[in-house]
């Protein structure tokens, strides 16, 4: 899957991932390959991504996640690593 994490200032992450976990407004959720189309809001919390190299974490202050055709776009208010 391809993941982009974008803030109003910059592109924080762009690349291939095997899995991604998000702090959804109604609870944490994980996206895997061939996930059904989805749009969800996020609350402040941690995004965990799994790549071939291992895991990375990003702290977000809310935003929106869109999943469509193995592409994930995260529009975050702000991100820290």
């Amino acid at each position: 899957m391809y993941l982009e994490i974008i803030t109003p200032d910059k592109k924080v992450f762009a690349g291939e991932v095997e899995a991604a976990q998000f702090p959804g407004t109604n609870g944490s959720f994980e996206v895997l390959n061939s996930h059904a189309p989805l749009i969800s809001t996020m609350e402040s919390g941690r995004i965990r991504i799994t790549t071939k190299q291992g895991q990375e974490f990003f702290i977000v202050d809310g935003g929106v996640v869109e999943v469509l055709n193995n592409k994930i776009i995260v529009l975050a208010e702000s991100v820290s690593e």
Side-chain angles (χ1 to χ4, degrees):
M1 296 179 299
Y2 186 77
L3 168 67
E4 285 186 352
I5 301 175
I6 303 167
T7 68
D9 300 341
K10 62 182 177 178
K11 186 179 291 188
V12 177
F13 179 88
E16 291 292 322
V17 299
E18 295 176 355
Q21 186 177 40
F22 301 99
T25 303
N26 293 324
S28 179
F29 65 95
E30 187 167 26
V31 175
L32 301 171
N33 198 32
S34 299
H35 196 284
L38 166 78
I39 295 177
S40 176
T41 55
M42 292 185 302
E43 60 184 23
S44 297
R46 183 178 77 169
I47 295 175
R48 181 187 75 198
I49 62 170
T50 305
T51 65
K52 289 187 191 306
Q53 291 76 33
Q55 292 187 344
E56 287 186 56
F57 300 93
F58 300 93
I59 305 300
V60 296
D61 285 334
V64 178
V65 180
E66 179 187 44
V67 179
L68 184 63
N69 298 326
N70 282 332
K71 183 173 182 179
I72 307 166
I73 299 175
V74 176
L75 303 174
E77 293 176 26
S78 67
V79 176
S80 58
E81 294 183 50

